[in-house]
Short mmCIF file of all heavy atoms in Angstrom, two decimals:
data_model
loop_
_atom_site.label_atom_id
_atom_site.label_comp_id
_atom_site.label_asym_id
_atom_site.label_seq_id
_atom_site.Cartn_x
_atom_site.Cartn_y
_atom_site.Cartn_z
N ARG A 27 42.42 9.59 -13.53
CA ARG A 27 42.25 8.28 -12.96
C ARG A 27 40.85 8.12 -12.38
O ARG A 27 40.19 7.11 -12.55
CB ARG A 27 43.26 8.02 -11.86
CG ARG A 27 44.53 7.43 -12.37
CD ARG A 27 45.23 6.64 -11.30
NE ARG A 27 46.49 6.20 -11.84
CZ ARG A 27 47.61 6.11 -11.14
NH1 ARG A 27 47.62 6.45 -9.90
NH2 ARG A 27 48.70 5.63 -11.69
N ALA A 28 40.40 9.12 -11.63
CA ALA A 28 39.06 9.07 -11.01
C ALA A 28 38.00 8.94 -12.09
O ALA A 28 37.04 8.16 -11.97
CB ALA A 28 38.84 10.29 -10.13
N GLN A 29 38.12 9.72 -13.15
CA GLN A 29 37.15 9.69 -14.25
C GLN A 29 37.12 8.30 -14.91
O GLN A 29 36.06 7.72 -15.13
CB GLN A 29 37.44 10.77 -15.27
CG GLN A 29 36.49 10.79 -16.40
CD GLN A 29 36.84 11.87 -17.44
OE1 GLN A 29 37.86 12.51 -17.37
NE2 GLN A 29 35.92 12.07 -18.37
N ASP A 30 38.30 7.76 -15.16
CA ASP A 30 38.41 6.45 -15.76
C ASP A 30 37.79 5.37 -14.88
O ASP A 30 37.09 4.50 -15.34
CB ASP A 30 39.84 6.09 -16.14
CG ASP A 30 40.41 6.87 -17.31
OD1 ASP A 30 39.59 7.52 -18.00
OD2 ASP A 30 41.61 6.84 -17.49
N GLU A 31 38.07 5.46 -13.54
CA GLU A 31 37.54 4.50 -12.63
C GLU A 31 36.01 4.62 -12.51
O GLU A 31 35.34 3.59 -12.44
CB GLU A 31 38.17 4.69 -11.26
CG GLU A 31 39.62 4.20 -11.23
CD GLU A 31 40.31 4.56 -9.90
OE1 GLU A 31 39.67 5.12 -9.01
OE2 GLU A 31 41.50 4.21 -9.79
N LEU A 32 35.51 5.81 -12.58
CA LEU A 32 34.05 5.99 -12.48
C LEU A 32 33.38 5.42 -13.73
O LEU A 32 32.37 4.72 -13.60
CB LEU A 32 33.72 7.52 -12.33
CG LEU A 32 32.23 7.80 -12.14
CD1 LEU A 32 31.66 7.11 -10.93
CD2 LEU A 32 32.06 9.33 -12.03
N ILE A 33 33.94 5.67 -14.88
CA ILE A 33 33.39 5.13 -16.11
C ILE A 33 33.48 3.58 -16.06
O ILE A 33 32.49 2.88 -16.42
CB ILE A 33 34.07 5.69 -17.37
CG1 ILE A 33 33.73 7.14 -17.55
CG2 ILE A 33 33.75 4.85 -18.62
CD1 ILE A 33 34.55 7.83 -18.63
N GLU A 34 34.62 3.06 -15.65
CA GLU A 34 34.79 1.64 -15.56
C GLU A 34 33.76 1.01 -14.60
O GLU A 34 33.20 -0.01 -14.89
CB GLU A 34 36.22 1.33 -15.07
CG GLU A 34 36.56 -0.13 -14.98
CD GLU A 34 37.97 -0.31 -14.48
OE1 GLU A 34 38.91 0.26 -15.05
OE2 GLU A 34 38.14 -1.06 -13.48
N HIS A 35 33.51 1.72 -13.49
CA HIS A 35 32.54 1.21 -12.50
C HIS A 35 31.12 1.19 -13.10
O HIS A 35 30.40 0.25 -13.00
CB HIS A 35 32.58 2.06 -11.25
CG HIS A 35 31.50 1.74 -10.28
ND1 HIS A 35 31.51 0.55 -9.53
CD2 HIS A 35 30.38 2.37 -9.92
CE1 HIS A 35 30.45 0.53 -8.75
NE2 HIS A 35 29.72 1.63 -8.98
N GLU A 36 30.75 2.29 -13.75
CA GLU A 36 29.40 2.40 -14.33
C GLU A 36 29.22 1.34 -15.44
O GLU A 36 28.15 0.73 -15.53
CB GLU A 36 29.17 3.81 -14.90
CG GLU A 36 29.07 4.87 -13.81
CD GLU A 36 27.89 4.67 -12.89
OE1 GLU A 36 26.81 4.29 -13.35
OE2 GLU A 36 28.09 4.84 -11.68
N VAL A 37 30.23 1.12 -16.27
CA VAL A 37 30.12 0.09 -17.29
C VAL A 37 30.05 -1.27 -16.67
O VAL A 37 29.28 -2.15 -17.12
CB VAL A 37 31.33 0.22 -18.28
CG1 VAL A 37 31.39 -1.00 -19.22
CG2 VAL A 37 31.25 1.51 -19.07
N SER A 38 30.74 -1.49 -15.57
CA SER A 38 30.69 -2.76 -14.87
C SER A 38 29.28 -3.02 -14.30
O SER A 38 28.76 -4.14 -14.34
CB SER A 38 31.71 -2.79 -13.70
OG SER A 38 31.58 -3.94 -12.97
N VAL A 39 28.69 -1.96 -13.75
CA VAL A 39 27.29 -2.10 -13.23
C VAL A 39 26.36 -2.43 -14.41
O VAL A 39 25.52 -3.35 -14.28
CB VAL A 39 26.85 -0.78 -12.56
CG1 VAL A 39 25.36 -0.74 -12.30
CG2 VAL A 39 27.62 -0.56 -11.25
N GLU A 40 26.52 -1.76 -15.51
CA GLU A 40 25.69 -2.06 -16.69
C GLU A 40 25.90 -3.46 -17.15
O GLU A 40 24.96 -4.20 -17.51
CB GLU A 40 26.01 -1.06 -17.79
CG GLU A 40 25.00 -1.05 -18.90
CD GLU A 40 23.60 -0.66 -18.48
OE1 GLU A 40 23.47 0.29 -17.67
OE2 GLU A 40 22.62 -1.29 -18.92
N ARG A 41 27.19 -3.97 -17.17
CA ARG A 41 27.47 -5.32 -17.53
C ARG A 41 26.70 -6.35 -16.66
O ARG A 41 26.13 -7.30 -17.09
CB ARG A 41 28.98 -5.60 -17.45
CG ARG A 41 29.41 -6.96 -17.90
CD ARG A 41 30.93 -7.16 -17.79
NE ARG A 41 31.64 -6.27 -18.67
CZ ARG A 41 32.42 -5.25 -18.26
NH1 ARG A 41 32.58 -5.00 -16.95
NH2 ARG A 41 33.05 -4.47 -19.11
N GLY A 42 26.71 -6.05 -15.37
CA GLY A 42 25.99 -6.89 -14.40
C GLY A 42 24.50 -6.90 -14.65
O GLY A 42 23.86 -7.93 -14.51
N GLU A 43 23.98 -5.76 -14.97
CA GLU A 43 22.55 -5.65 -15.26
C GLU A 43 22.19 -6.47 -16.51
O GLU A 43 21.12 -7.10 -16.56
CB GLU A 43 22.08 -4.20 -15.41
CG GLU A 43 22.14 -3.44 -14.09
CD GLU A 43 21.86 -1.95 -14.27
OE1 GLU A 43 21.74 -1.46 -15.42
OE2 GLU A 43 21.80 -1.25 -13.25
N ILE A 44 23.04 -6.41 -17.54
CA ILE A 44 22.79 -7.16 -18.75
C ILE A 44 22.85 -8.66 -18.47
O ILE A 44 22.02 -9.45 -18.97
CB ILE A 44 23.79 -6.77 -19.87
CG1 ILE A 44 23.49 -5.35 -20.36
CG2 ILE A 44 23.77 -7.77 -21.00
CD1 ILE A 44 24.56 -4.79 -21.28
N ASP A 45 23.79 -9.09 -17.62
CA ASP A 45 23.90 -10.50 -17.29
C ASP A 45 22.73 -10.95 -16.42
O ASP A 45 22.21 -12.06 -16.60
CB ASP A 45 25.21 -10.76 -16.52
CG ASP A 45 26.42 -10.64 -17.42
OD1 ASP A 45 26.28 -10.69 -18.68
OD2 ASP A 45 27.51 -10.52 -16.89
N ALA A 46 22.31 -10.12 -15.46
CA ALA A 46 21.27 -10.51 -14.51
C ALA A 46 19.86 -10.44 -15.13
O ALA A 46 19.00 -11.26 -14.76
CB ALA A 46 21.35 -9.61 -13.28
N ASP A 47 19.63 -9.50 -15.97
CA ASP A 47 18.27 -9.28 -16.51
C ASP A 47 18.31 -8.87 -17.99
O ASP A 47 17.96 -7.77 -18.33
CB ASP A 47 17.51 -8.23 -15.66
CG ASP A 47 16.05 -8.08 -16.07
OD1 ASP A 47 15.52 -8.99 -16.76
OD2 ASP A 47 15.47 -7.07 -15.68
N PRO A 48 18.73 -9.80 -18.86
CA PRO A 48 18.84 -9.42 -20.27
C PRO A 48 17.52 -8.98 -20.89
O PRO A 48 17.52 -8.09 -21.72
CB PRO A 48 19.41 -10.68 -20.96
CG PRO A 48 19.19 -11.81 -20.01
CD PRO A 48 19.10 -11.21 -18.63
N GLU A 49 16.46 -9.58 -20.49
CA GLU A 49 15.13 -9.22 -21.05
C GLU A 49 14.76 -7.81 -20.60
O GLU A 49 14.23 -7.01 -21.41
CB GLU A 49 14.07 -10.23 -20.59
CG GLU A 49 12.69 -9.93 -21.19
CD GLU A 49 12.63 -9.94 -22.71
OE1 GLU A 49 13.51 -10.57 -23.36
OE2 GLU A 49 11.73 -9.31 -23.27
N GLY A 50 14.97 -7.48 -19.35
CA GLY A 50 14.70 -6.14 -18.90
C GLY A 50 15.55 -5.07 -19.59
O GLY A 50 15.13 -3.99 -19.91
N GLU A 51 16.83 -5.45 -19.80
CA GLU A 51 17.71 -4.52 -20.50
C GLU A 51 17.33 -4.37 -21.98
O GLU A 51 17.50 -3.32 -22.58
CB GLU A 51 19.18 -5.00 -20.37
CG GLU A 51 19.74 -4.90 -18.99
CD GLU A 51 19.78 -3.49 -18.45
OE1 GLU A 51 20.50 -2.64 -19.05
OE2 GLU A 51 19.05 -3.19 -17.45
N ARG A 52 16.79 -5.47 -22.58
CA ARG A 52 16.33 -5.35 -23.95
C ARG A 52 15.15 -4.44 -24.03
O ARG A 52 15.08 -3.57 -24.91
CB ARG A 52 15.91 -6.79 -24.48
CG ARG A 52 15.50 -6.72 -25.95
CD ARG A 52 14.61 -7.91 -26.39
NE ARG A 52 13.45 -8.13 -25.58
CZ ARG A 52 12.33 -7.37 -25.66
NH1 ARG A 52 12.26 -6.31 -26.45
NH2 ARG A 52 11.30 -7.62 -24.88
N ARG A 53 14.21 -4.56 -23.03
CA ARG A 53 13.06 -3.61 -23.00
C ARG A 53 13.53 -2.20 -22.80
O ARG A 53 13.00 -1.25 -23.46
CB ARG A 53 12.09 -4.05 -21.93
CG ARG A 53 11.28 -5.28 -22.25
CD ARG A 53 10.14 -5.53 -21.23
NE ARG A 53 10.60 -5.61 -19.89
CZ ARG A 53 10.97 -6.73 -19.26
NH1 ARG A 53 10.92 -7.88 -19.90
NH2 ARG A 53 11.34 -6.69 -18.00
N GLU A 54 14.50 -2.01 -21.95
CA GLU A 54 15.02 -0.66 -21.70
C GLU A 54 15.62 -0.07 -22.95
O GLU A 54 15.44 1.09 -23.28
CB GLU A 54 16.09 -0.74 -20.57
CG GLU A 54 16.65 0.60 -20.18
CD GLU A 54 17.68 0.45 -19.09
OE1 GLU A 54 18.55 -0.43 -19.16
OE2 GLU A 54 17.58 1.25 -18.11
N LEU A 55 16.37 -0.89 -23.68
CA LEU A 55 17.02 -0.44 -24.94
C LEU A 55 15.93 -0.11 -25.96
O LEU A 55 16.03 0.96 -26.63
CB LEU A 55 17.95 -1.53 -25.46
CG LEU A 55 18.90 -1.18 -26.56
CD1 LEU A 55 19.81 -0.01 -26.18
CD2 LEU A 55 19.76 -2.37 -26.95
N ALA A 56 14.92 -0.91 -26.08
CA ALA A 56 13.84 -0.62 -27.03
C ALA A 56 13.15 0.70 -26.65
O ALA A 56 12.85 1.50 -27.49
CB ALA A 56 12.80 -1.77 -27.03
N ALA A 57 12.95 0.91 -25.34
CA ALA A 57 12.31 2.17 -24.89
C ALA A 57 13.17 3.36 -25.21
O ALA A 57 12.66 4.44 -25.57
CB ALA A 57 12.08 2.08 -23.37
N MET A 58 14.51 3.24 -25.15
CA MET A 58 15.40 4.35 -25.50
C MET A 58 15.24 4.71 -26.97
O MET A 58 15.19 5.88 -27.36
CB MET A 58 16.85 4.01 -25.14
CG MET A 58 17.13 4.11 -23.67
SD MET A 58 18.90 3.92 -23.30
CE MET A 58 19.06 2.16 -23.24
N TYR A 59 15.18 3.68 -27.82
CA TYR A 59 15.00 3.92 -29.26
C TYR A 59 13.65 4.51 -29.56
O TYR A 59 13.51 5.37 -30.41
CB TYR A 59 15.26 2.66 -30.09
CG TYR A 59 16.74 2.37 -30.26
CD1 TYR A 59 17.32 1.32 -29.62
CD2 TYR A 59 17.52 3.21 -31.05
CE1 TYR A 59 18.68 1.03 -29.79
CE2 TYR A 59 18.84 2.95 -31.23
CZ TYR A 59 19.46 1.89 -30.59
OH TYR A 59 20.78 1.67 -30.76
N GLU A 60 12.60 4.01 -28.87
CA GLU A 60 11.29 4.59 -29.04
C GLU A 60 11.26 6.07 -28.63
O GLU A 60 10.65 6.89 -29.31
CB GLU A 60 10.24 3.83 -28.19
CG GLU A 60 9.92 2.48 -28.80
CD GLU A 60 8.90 1.71 -27.94
OE1 GLU A 60 7.96 2.36 -27.39
OE2 GLU A 60 9.07 0.50 -27.78
N ALA A 61 11.97 6.40 -27.57
CA ALA A 61 12.05 7.80 -27.12
C ALA A 61 12.73 8.68 -28.17
O ALA A 61 12.48 9.90 -28.22
CB ALA A 61 12.80 7.90 -25.80
N GLU A 62 13.54 8.10 -29.00
CA GLU A 62 14.20 8.82 -30.06
C GLU A 62 13.37 8.86 -31.36
O GLU A 62 13.84 9.36 -32.39
CB GLU A 62 15.58 8.21 -30.36
CG GLU A 62 16.59 8.34 -29.24
CD GLU A 62 16.96 9.78 -28.96
OE1 GLU A 62 17.12 10.57 -29.91
OE2 GLU A 62 17.06 10.14 -27.75
N GLY A 63 12.15 8.26 -31.28
CA GLY A 63 11.28 8.39 -32.43
C GLY A 63 11.19 7.14 -33.34
O GLY A 63 10.55 7.16 -34.38
N VAL A 64 11.87 6.08 -32.92
CA VAL A 64 11.80 4.82 -33.69
C VAL A 64 10.48 4.15 -33.39
O VAL A 64 10.09 3.98 -32.24
CB VAL A 64 12.99 3.90 -33.37
CG1 VAL A 64 12.87 2.58 -34.10
CG2 VAL A 64 14.31 4.59 -33.64
N PRO A 65 9.73 3.75 -34.42
CA PRO A 65 8.44 3.07 -34.18
C PRO A 65 8.64 1.86 -33.26
O PRO A 65 9.64 1.12 -33.41
CB PRO A 65 7.96 2.67 -35.56
CG PRO A 65 8.65 3.59 -36.51
CD PRO A 65 9.98 3.88 -35.85
#
């Protein structure tokens, strides 16, 4: 239960970040792909 609640909380935080700052989250996502070697 604790593990499920922690994951649910973290996903909820991420959902809020996507809603509040979609452009910042887009840049963050692009940076993650760049870090993996995508041009």
Side-chain angles (χ1 to χ4, degrees):
R27 271 205 183 144
Q29 181 181 8
D30 288 346
E31 288 172 0
L32 184 58
I33 289 171
E34 183 180 306
H35 174 72
E36 292 297 320
V37 170
S38 175
V39 167
E40 193 62 41
R41 183 180 296 113
E43 290 173 355
I44 289 170
D45 290 342
D47 185 16
E49 182 58 25
E51 292 297 298
R52 184 200 55 74
R53 286 191 304 269
E54 182 180 48
L55 193 57
M58 285 187 275
Y59 281 110
E60 286 179 38
E62 293 296 319
V64 177

